[in-house]
Amino acid sequence: MDTLQTASPANTEAEKTFTRNTLETYDNLYAKKDYGTLDYPVNARCLDLRKSYMSWIRWHWHEEMEILIVDQGIAEVSTDDATYLIKPGQGLIINQNIMHCIHAHNEKSCTFHSLVFHPDYIFGHKNNYLQTEYLLPIQSYRLFKAFFLDESAPWHERMLQMLKEVIDLNLDQHFGYEIATKGYLCHFWVELLRQIPHADTPIVSRVSPDEQRVKEAMLFIRTHYAEPLSLQEIADSIHVSKSECCRCFARTLQMSPFEYLMKYRIYESTKKLMDSEQYFASIAELAASVGFNNTSYFNKLFKKYLGCTPTYYRTHKVLHPEPEQGRFSYFL
């Protein structure tokens, strides 16, 4: 999928800000793990969910910490155990390796800035005193999956202001912005540490066994979705029984492994329909390419999730599902 470019210069300050950088889609930013370089693991992006494929960013995770600050609309961000509604001016800090997805609340338009950085930029790659004293408490604090910044306290405002400065620096990229970024991130980190209690109890991983298993199963499905897959094979990929596999998915994504597989296959079929370089002589051929051996069942699920048939979708290039079907994207 090609990168979507910004529109012509707009009138408002928020819209002008978005013209400084390329608007990214899920496939161009998250799937390709475009989070900076080893020497400079920092990346700031302007995102407009209307310009991302199907107006959403599906379930994903990464080693970097991510901060979202909403400009317009309301972003709905979900982790495995919570959902956050982020309004303009508010932000959300998402810790490392936390599974999350993003979409516009009530299917409305939503624009936001995403700042992604690896803590190694602050602390270096080797184990040292600073990592032990200041990095490990946040990396391993089991209650810190996401932290909501709503300007309700002075320190919220300080954090948001520092993060906005970092975003501006990395969008403008004037001389010395990398050094200035490190300074702001150091201040941000100290402020964050002050707000997280220092527990005397042994550190417990914040990633639950359920979440870790579901992540591995999702990767397995994304690799093998076009092949005949059984529940047993999915369960075997994470070394649990079929019943335990179903329980893990239910507790984490509120759906079964089979439902996730079906929705993922349908999503992949829509991408193929939108790809001008791919041509399918028939819907049966398209269905087979994403793992369906029954065209009628493929058509039935496609209409259930997207509100139209594959033929209609291909003919009319439907990018957005009907409102009642919009939650389809949320689950992937």
Side-chain angles (χ1 to χ4, degrees), residues 53-326:
Y53 185 67
M54 295 184 73
S55 301
W56 62 286
I57 297 170
R58 56 180 167 166
W59 287 103
H60 67 286
W61 60 92
H62 36 74
E63 293 184 0
E64 294 78 9
M65 180 174 280
E66 180 169 15
I67 297 97
L68 309 176
I69 299 179
V70 172
D71 291 277
Q72 297 177 341
I74 302 175
E76 187 167 334
V77 184
S78 296
T79 63
D80 70 309
D81 60 358
T83 296
Y84 304 85
L85 296 180
I86 319 299
K87 299 178 181 179
Q90 298 177 342
L92 187 71
I93 305 169
I94 303 170
N95 212 340
Q96 296 175 270
N97 294 308
I98 295 301
M99 188 165 63
H100 57 284
C101 67
I102 310 166
H103 64 100
H105 183 58
N106 291 333
E107 311 301 325
K108 304 296 184 180
S109 62
C110 179
T111 58
F112 63 94
H113 284 86
S114 168
L115 173 66
V116 182
F117 73 94
H118 201 292
D120 282 349
Y121 186 57
I122 302 175
F123 299 98
H125 300 282
K126 296 180 180 180
N127 292 326
N128 54 42
Y129 169 78
L130 290 178
Q131 282 194 342
T132 302
E133 188 72 12
Y134 300 112
L135 175 59
L136 192 59
I138 288 180
Q139 283 186 325
S140 303
Y141 183 47
R142 65 184 179 86
L143 298 180
F144 178 26
K145 290 188 175 183
F147 207 104
F148 184 48
L149 298 172
D150 62 357
E151 300 178 296
S152 62
W155 71 268
H156 280 219
E157 296 182 8
R158 292 195 299 269
M159 295 273 273
L160 286 167
Q161 186 56 45
M162 284 185 282
L163 294 169
K164 290 174 182 177
E165 293 287 352
V166 173
I167 290 170
D168 287 341
L169 282 167
N170 285 268
L171 292 180
D172 294 331
Q173 296 188 356
H174 295 316
F175 177 77
Y177 75 94
E178 302 96 333
I179 298 175
T181 291
K182 188 167 187 175
Y184 278 114
L185 289 179
C186 286
H187 283 289
F188 158 79
W189 202 270
V190 171
E191 191 71 61
L192 185 61
L193 275 170
R194 288 171 178 163
Q195 306 307 323
I196 292 181
H198 294 270
D200 295 328
T201 55
I203 291 171
V204 179
S205 174
R206 65 184 179 278
V207 178
S208 68
D210 280 349
E211 182 180 341
Q212 187 58 44
R213 287 170 177 169
V214 169
K215 283 180 178 179
E216 293 174 8
M218 288 167 67
L219 291 175
F220 178 78
I221 290 172
R222 292 178 184 185
T223 302
H224 301 281
Y225 73 91
E227 307 167 13
L229 280 183
S230 66
L231 175 58
Q232 186 65 62
E233 289 173 307
I234 297 173
D236 287 345
S237 74
I238 56 175
H239 312 293
V240 297
S241 67
K242 291 190 291 185
S243 57
E244 180 60 18
C245 182
C246 289
R247 286 192 289 267
C248 288
F249 268 78
R251 288 188 293 249
T252 304
L253 299 184
Q254 293 76 54
M255 71 174 71
S256 70
F258 183 76
E259 186 178 1
Y260 179 84
L261 171 62
M262 294 300 104
K263 289 184 174 181
Y264 190 82
R265 284 173 168 171
I266 295 298
Y267 170 76
E268 288 297 321
S269 73
T270 64
K271 288 172 61 178
K272 293 187 177 188
L273 286 172
M274 295 299 298
D275 188 347
S276 59
E277 296 183 1
Q278 296 194 56
Y279 175 76
F280 294 93
S282 66
I283 297 301
E285 183 182 349
L286 170 66
S289 74
V290 293
F292 286 95
N293 56 16
N294 185 312
T295 307
S296 296
Y297 186 54
F298 169 71
N299 285 330
K300 179 181 178 180
L301 286 184
F302 197 103
K303 189 169 184 179
K304 174 183 177 182
Y305 294 142
L306 294 176
C308 65
T309 65
T311 302
Y312 183 93
Y313 193 100
R314 177 166 59 182
T315 302
H316 296 274
K317 300 294 184 183
V318 180
L319 281 173
H320 307 282
E322 294 298 319
E324 63 270 22
Q325 306 294 336

